[in-house]
Amino acid sequence: QNHYALTGWLHVIAGVMWVGLLYYFNFVQVPGMGQALADTDGPGPAAIGKYIAPRALLWFRMAAATTWILGMLLLALQSRGMDGIIGAFTFATGYVVIGLGAWMGTIMAFNVWFIIWPNQQKILGMKEASAEEIATAKKNAALASSINVILSIPMLLAMIAWH
């Protein structure tokens, strides 16, 4: 029981970090970068792109992975094995609400690791990319990030409703 409670608290803490950074990117950094690019007399976005964004993206990825892994661990601890994980992802009786949350969290984690992160590497110059590839990367990262913002509230509600 103590393991379950500790894991639950760590899951919540990691989730707060993840969603907090998601909101930071969508509501602060991305609009700020756009403003910095448009302001020809200003300092420009270089410091954000070089120092802030890579660090924030590292914490973002680690928080996403930690939240997802701890969520799977909670499902396993709750049911003493794989039954909770399988039950959640197949919407078995008693697992429908948490199953919705687990699927949304999985989609969000997938978006972070396989869409947002690879595209951000191009946008920030961490990976070689043409101007056209960078423009496409911005659109793809923005779409995946917007989807994550939309999914974040129902995912959090499903998580809360389960407990």
Side-chain angles (χ1 to χ4, degrees):
Q1 192 63 15
N2 287 341
H3 289 56
Y4 185 78
L6 177 62
T7 304
W9 278 109
L10 292 173
H11 179 65
V12 168
I13 291 166
V16 166
M17 174 72 78
W18 180 13
V19 172
L21 284 165
L22 173 67
Y23 290 2
Y24 161 77
F25 286 125
N26 280 273
F27 301 121
V28 178
Q29 183 174 298
V30 170
M33 291 283 270
Q35 248 183 323
L37 283 166
D39 183 3
T40 55
D41 295 329
I48 296 168
K50 185 174 181 179
Y51 300 106
I52 304 299
R55 177 172 288 164
L57 284 163
L58 173 65
W59 281 91
F60 184 60
R61 292 190 322 276
M62 294 305 114
T66 301
T67 304
W68 189 86
I69 290 166
L70 290 173
M72 295 304 108
L73 182 58
L74 280 170
L75 288 168
L77 286 172
Q78 178 270 330
S79 65
R80 302 194 194 322
M82 289 298 294
D83 290 348
I85 295 170
I86 294 166
F89 283 96
T90 60
F91 302 110
T93 303
Y95 289 92
V96 173
V97 172
I98 199 59
L100 287 169
W103 271 109
M104 286 185 272
T106 299
I107 291 165
M108 291 172 66
F110 179 90
N111 284 345
V112 166
W113 280 91
F114 299 104
I115 299 174
I116 297 169
W117 173 235
N119 283 294
Q120 281 294 338
Q121 288 175 299
K122 292 175 187 173
I123 295 163
L124 296 171
M126 301 164 110
K127 268 190 185 171
E128 194 78 26
S130 68
E132 186 178 313
E133 289 171 325
I134 291 169
T136 300
K138 285 180 179 180
K139 290 176 188 168
N140 291 341
L143 178 60
S145 197
S146 295
I147 289 167
N148 279 9
V149 168
I150 292 164
L151 291 177
S152 68
I153 298 298
M155 184 269 308
L156 288 169
L157 291 173
M159 188 174 129
I160 292 165
W162 174 251
H163 293 290

